[in-house]
């Protein structure tokens, strides 16, 4: 079962996730981070940057793999996930850009980009901790409903709903690419620890389906139920449709300190 922790703010969730990632890097200086983009993980990156500013840690060997990338955006486009990861993660955390990879969304190399990315993750020894957001369609990464639980990094077609949701980052909805390269649900399942974050009432259905719904490729977030180590960090609004919300709080309150998250 995923551990569900309901927190009173996005900041508190970011602080908790950042502490876990910091502890990982302290014990494994070349840790491999799985990096989500979008609004949700920003509190994690901000908390980790603040913690590093206060108490520095050697970040020079930390490696990272982004979850996904849009297809067909020109190199350097400010909303390409390469640019977003550089701005929101690499610079604030003082990571070496050479250690950070994003899937290649270049149209010319799409046929081989997925398998190349899988090989790079494999060569790095796999992802230690994968940070995840969830879309209102229930996607994790850009694995839209219907994605196979065995899928690997590949091209996917974004739903119209996801394109509309992400239009806030672009000048107009029609500028949001139709395709993306995304780690598959099979790729995500191979990460050793998943930290899924969600905030706001608009994520409540997706979180309830992921945590408590039937395991179904129609609800890609439900893949977390097949993973042995998952932490779900949510605010009250995102937790509002969880039937077992009180039990999660009870279990968290009675954890042993050594358990961590
Ligand atoms: C981002 C990603 C997506 C987002 C999801 C939620 O790399 O793969 O699954 O996590 O679309 O987006 P936000 O956080 O912007 O609500």
């Amino acid at each position: 079962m995923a551990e569900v922790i309901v927190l009173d703010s996005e900041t508190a969730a970011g602080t908790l996730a950042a502490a876990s990632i910091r502890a990982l890097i302290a014990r494994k200086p070349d840790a491999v981070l799985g990096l989500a983009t979008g609004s949700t993980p920003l509190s994690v990156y901000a908390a980790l940057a603040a913690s590093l500013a206060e108490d520095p840690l050697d970040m020079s060997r930390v490696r990272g793999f982004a979850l996904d990338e849009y297809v067909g955006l020109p190199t350097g486009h400010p909303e390409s996930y390469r640019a977003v990861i550089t701005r929101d993660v690499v610079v604030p955390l003082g990571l070496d850009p050479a250690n950070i990879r994003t899937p290649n969304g270049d149209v010319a190399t799409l046929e081989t980009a997925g398998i190349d990315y899988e090989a790079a993750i494999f060569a790095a020894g796999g992802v230690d901790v994968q940070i995840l957001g969830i879309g209102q369609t229930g996607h994790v990464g850009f694995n839209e409903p219907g994605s196979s639980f065995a899928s690997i990094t590949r091209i996917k077609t974004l739903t119209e709903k996801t394109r509309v949701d992400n239009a806030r980052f672009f000048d107009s909805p029609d500028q949001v690419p139709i395709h993306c390269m995304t780690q598959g649900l099979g790729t995500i399942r191979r990460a050793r620890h998943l930290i899924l974050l969600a905030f706001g009432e608009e994520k409540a259905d997706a979180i309830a389906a992921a945590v408590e719904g039937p395991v179904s490729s129609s609800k890609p977030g439900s893949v977390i139920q097949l993973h042995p180590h998952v932490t779900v960090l949510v605010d009250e609004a995102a937790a509002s449709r969880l039937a077992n919300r009180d039990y999660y709080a009870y279990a968290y309150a009675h954890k042993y300190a050594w358990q961590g998250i």
Side-chain angles (χ1 to χ4, degrees), residues 2-89:
E3 172 171 46
V4 180
I5 305 175
V6 184
L7 294 139
D8 57 13
S9 69
E10 217 166 312
T11 309
T15 303
L16 192 55
S20 168
I21 296 166
R22 191 190 162 103
L24 166 71
I25 297 166
R27 65 178 183 270
K28 183 179 179 188
D30 63 347
V32 179
L33 311 182
L35 303 165
T37 48
S39 305
T40 305
L42 293 177
S43 62
V44 180
Y45 304 138
L48 191 50
S51 158
L52 292 168
E54 204 173 294
D55 185 10
L57 199 60
D58 177 15
M59 300 293 281
S60 64
R61 293 168 58 207
V62 172
R63 295 162 295 164
F65 288 89
L67 259 182
D68 34 29
E69 178 58 288
Y70 290 117
V71 164
L73 289 182
T75 310
H77 187 291
E79 292 310 325
S80 71
Y81 284 165
R82 179 80 216 177
V84 171
I85 290 281
T86 302
R87 207 163 55 227
D88 294 342
V89 186

Side-chain angles (χ1 to χ4, degrees), residues 35-41 67-68 81 132-136 139-142 162 166 168-169 182 203:
L35 303 165
T37 48
S39 305
T40 305
L67 259 182
D68 34 29
Y81 284 165
L132 294 170
I134 191 165
Q136 291 186 49
H139 67 227
V140 287
F142 275 142
T162 298
N166 285 10
R168 68 190 192 281
F169 297 112
T182 181
K203 298 290 176 75

Side-chain angles (χ1 to χ4, degrees), residues 200-220:
E201 208 269 334
E202 65 277 12
K203 298 290 176 75
D205 283 336
I207 282 294
V211 175
E212 296 178 341
V215 174
S216 162
S217 58
S218 298
K219 303 288 179 186

Side-chain angles (χ1 to χ4, degrees), residues 20-251:
S20 168
I21 296 166
R22 191 190 162 103
L24 166 71
I25 297 166
R27 65 178 183 270
K28 183 179 179 188
D30 63 347
V32 179
L33 311 182
L35 303 165
T37 48
S39 305
T40 305
L42 293 177
S43 62
V44 180
Y45 304 138
L48 191 50
S51 158
L52 292 168
E54 204 173 294
D55 185 10
L57 199 60
D58 177 15
M59 300 293 281
S60 64
R61 293 168 58 207
V62 172
R63 295 162 295 164
F65 288 89
L67 259 182
D68 34 29
E69 178 58 288
Y70 290 117
V71 164
L73 289 182
T75 310
H77 187 291
E79 292 310 325
S80 71
Y81 284 165
R82 179 80 216 177
V84 171
I85 290 281
T86 302
R87 207 163 55 227
D88 294 342
V89 186
V90 174
V91 172
L93 301 188
L95 302 178
D96 180 349
N99 291 340
I100 309 302
R101 288 192 61 154
T102 43
N104 187 349
D106 188 340
V107 175
T109 50
L110 285 179
E111 267 186 66
T112 50
I115 203 72
D116 288 351
Y117 204 62
E118 291 289 324
I121 295 174
F122 185 77
V127 170
D128 289 303
V129 60
Q130 176 64 60
I131 301 160
L132 294 170
I134 191 165
Q136 291 186 49
T137 65
H139 67 227
V140 287
F142 275 142
N143 295 283
E144 297 285 23
S147 296
S148 161
F149 284 144
S151 50
I152 61 168
T153 307
R154 71 221 183 282
I155 185 170
K156 280 297 283 185
T157 308
L158 296 172
T159 60
E160 275 304 317
K161 170 68 176 147
T162 298
R163 292 183 68 222
V164 168
D165 287 348
N166 285 10
R168 68 190 192 281
F169 297 112
F170 292 81
D171 290 336
S172 70
D174 58 331
Q175 288 182 11
V176 183
I178 291 172
H179 296 108
C180 63
M181 287 291 304
T182 181
Q183 287 190 29
L185 295 175
T187 321
I188 292 168
R189 278 179 70 178
R190 282 191 288 278
R192 288 181 271 279
H193 180 198
L194 306 181
I195 301 181
L196 170 62
L197 302 105
F199 310 111
E201 208 269 334
E202 65 277 12
K203 298 290 176 75
D205 283 336
I207 282 294
V211 175
E212 296 178 341
V215 174
S216 162
S217 58
S218 298
K219 303 288 179 186
S222 65
V223 71
I224 65 171
Q225 296 179 42
L226 300 173
H227 193 284
H229 187 188
V230 185
T231 309
V232 178
L233 303 179
V234 280
D235 63 5
E236 288 289 354
S240 58
R241 286 184 207 132
L242 289 170
N244 296 323
R245 187 225 170 286
D246 291 348
Y247 172 66
Y248 305 136
Y250 178 81

